[in-house]
Amino acid sequence: MQVERIWEFLRRLNPSTQSCLLAELERLELCGIDMPGSADIRARLRAELRKDGSPEGSASPSSYFFAPFGPLLVDGAPEHDNSGRIARGSLAPIWEWIGRDLLPIMARDYNDKMKGLIASDKHKEAQLAAVTFQTKVTKAVEGFLKTPEGCERARAKLAAYTASRSAFGDLIKIMVVLRAREAIAKFNEALPAKISKFDDAQVNKITAQLAAFRKTDADALPFALALVATRLKTPWQLIRLATKASRSKSAADVAATPNAIAVSMVLDQMDDKRQALRMALKNNRVIVARDILIDVYNTEYALRVRIRELEESEWGKRLRQIMDEIAALVDAEASRFPDEVGHVLTSRSLRRHDLFAGRLTHLAWKARDAIGDALSFAKS
């Protein structure tokens, strides 16, 4: 009955507000915040937003506006900065802020014009209209954020549409991308569709491309690196753009290279996997959780063998924190079963690398078969 009363109110909201609310409910779900009845409300909002017969994800004024960010979006609710990536859940509240607070009249005119162009299937004209509006928004936001007071007002307004801590940071990222959109598009087009083998020749080629990009659009470098990561068959190999350019394998030397942020971005990937692992376990998707753990183990191993003195660095501290949190998730899952019953998430087969004598990973030490693994290693 309470859900019905809430729905009676929500169905009276305009589609833009409903969309923003749906995005926020999805974000909260990904954060692990359970609210009674929220699944039903989400389903009803999705159905309400598709009443006009348009399929989910179909073209809209906002989708044209945010088109340049497609390859840079990350799903989930990251609690970290996620360099070079923008949270998909931030788009709806930012769009709401633009339309209601920043440029309400221009936004209304843009929406009206775009609806006509989309209905007439005038794709090129719609793209040009979106670019024009992007330029207007960029100038308006830059003026708004010139002062600390303006920044605080923007934070406060965004807080009215989302409780996400990343929304304001994502607004800043959106401005960086819009200012460099032509350079980013050109860099993106020059990349191969897929990079199945990130060998020295490919690393050298992309390093040269990044150097040219950095000369004119240094602030947007993380987004260029994010585009490279989307092409890699093995995303953690992004760190090679930093380690190969380093004079040694020490963390300090790697940190001094032009593309050192690639290491932080790989740690972002691990943090995203931690969140995905939590969601998989929450929904009893153990096989999905197993695959995520394999990726986590392999990424941790790669970081440790390619960067020396990692533990003493800021990267090492963050890696340790991430692995501690992942270990807690695995332990909580395994503790639901009796000790004599094995669990797939503590299986030795998940770890493809045995690291002994100070090189065993944190999770390998915590796994229930760690002692057996050590004995097997000693006999080999």
Side-chain angles (χ1 to χ4, degrees):
M1 179 63 69
Q2 189 175 9
V3 171
E4 292 298 331
R5 292 178 62 186
I6 293 172
W7 178 242
E8 282 302 314
F9 168 74
L10 296 181
R11 67 185 304 187
R12 298 190 185 99
L13 300 175
N14 63 53
S16 177
T17 303
Q18 288 179 340
S19 178
C20 187
L21 176 61
L22 176 59
E24 184 67 3
L25 289 174
E26 290 172 340
R27 187 190 69 79
L28 291 172
E29 180 194 21
L30 290 168
C31 283
I33 300 175
D34 294 316
M35 295 185 295
S38 64
D40 188 15
I41 293 295
R42 291 196 302 273
R44 294 190 188 201
L45 283 170
R46 292 189 189 102
E48 186 73 14
L49 290 167
R50 292 198 299 270
K51 269 188 175 180
D52 62 355
S54 300
E56 190 172 6
S58 60
S60 66
S62 62
S63 68
Y64 271 91
F65 181 87
F66 289 119
F69 309 99
L72 304 172
L73 297 178
V74 59
D75 291 309
E79 299 164 5
H80 52 280
D81 181 56
N82 223 324
S83 301
R85 305 298 294 274
I86 297 168
R88 191 182 301 274
S90 293
L91 301 188
I94 288 173
W95 184 248
E96 197 80 354
W97 174 70
I98 290 171
R100 286 177 175 266
D101 304 298
L102 184 68
L103 295 172
I105 296 175
M106 288 185 181
R108 183 193 62 201
D109 293 343
Y110 168 75
N111 283 321
D112 291 343
K113 181 178 182 178
M114 289 294 289
K115 287 175 183 177
L117 293 173
I118 292 169
S120 303
D121 200 25
K122 296 181 178 179
H123 180 61
K124 289 185 178 180
E125 291 88 339
Q127 285 181 318
L128 289 173
V131 170
T132 299
F133 190 57
Q134 287 167 356
T135 301
K136 293 177 180 178
V137 169
T138 301
K139 291 179 179 179
V141 174
E142 287 175 343
F144 202 86
L145 301 182
K146 276 184 178 179
T147 65
E149 293 77 16
C151 292
E152 286 306 310
R153 287 201 302 273
R155 287 181 188 274
K157 288 293 185 180
L158 285 170
Y161 306 117
T162 177
S164 172
R165 293 177 293 177
S166 66
F168 182 78
D170 284 335
L171 173 64
I172 302 300
K173 292 178 186 179
I174 284 173
M175 292 302 102
V176 173
V177 173
L178 287 179
R179 285 192 293 267
R181 60 178 179 263
E182 292 182 6
I184 291 174
K186 183 178 179 181
F187 179 85
N188 191 39
E189 291 173 2
L191 291 174
K194 291 289 182 183
I195 304 175
S196 57
K197 186 178 180 182
F198 205 35
D199 56 17
D200 287 351
Q202 192 67 264
V203 170
N204 290 336
K205 181 179 179 180
I206 291 180
T207 297
Q209 290 174 300
L210 287 167
F213 182 91
R214 193 168 51 247
K215 287 180 180 178
T216 57
D217 297 274
D219 290 346
L221 178 65
F223 301 102
L225 285 165
L227 291 173
V228 176
T230 63
R231 305 305 213 281
L232 294 174
K233 181 180 180 180
T234 309
W236 63 255
Q237 287 191 341
L238 191 70
I239 64 173
R240 295 203 65 209
L241 292 168
T243 58
K244 191 174 186 301
S246 179
R247 64 179 184 178
S248 79
K249 294 178 69 173
S250 75
D253 284 341
V254 174
T257 62
N259 299 319
I261 195 173
V263 180
S264 297
M265 294 174 71
V266 169
L267 289 169
D268 290 339
Q269 294 173 13
M270 293 188 72
D271 221 343
D272 292 339
K273 287 183 174 68
R274 173 189 60 80
Q275 186 79 344
L277 175 65
R278 186 186 60 75
M279 287 299 298
L281 293 176
K282 176 185 175 183
N283 295 309
N284 294 316
R285 301 176 66 188
V286 178
I287 301 304
V288 173
R290 179 202 62 189
D291 293 342
I292 292 170
L293 270 181
I294 290 172
D295 284 342
V296 166
Y297 286 134
N298 289 340
T299 303
E300 183 197 14
Y301 176 83
L303 287 166
R304 293 190 183 282
V305 299
R306 285 167 172 77
I307 304 176
R308 292 176 184 160
E309 301 159 10
L310 181 66
E311 284 296 323
E312 295 75 27
S313 69
E314 291 301 315
W315 292 327
K317 293 174 184 176
R318 185 179 174 197
L319 175 62
R320 187 164 56 251
Q321 179 183 358
I322 292 170
M323 298 308 291
D324 281 343
E325 292 172 358
I326 288 175
L329 289 171
V330 173
D331 283 348
E333 170 67 14
S335 68
R336 299 194 300 118
F337 297 83
D339 289 344
E340 62 271 16
V341 177
H343 194 289
V344 65
L345 298 188
T346 59
S347 169
R348 174 181 178 177
S349 63
L350 294 187
R351 298 187 301 278
R352 299 178 183 176
H353 311 283
D354 283 324
L355 304 177
F356 195 67
R359 296 179 65 189
L360 265 170
T361 66
H362 179 83
L363 278 176
W365 278 113
K366 292 185 70 67
R368 294 171 183 266
D369 59 346
I371 295 177
D373 287 353
L375 291 174
S376 297
F377 184 93
K379 293 176 181 179
S380 62

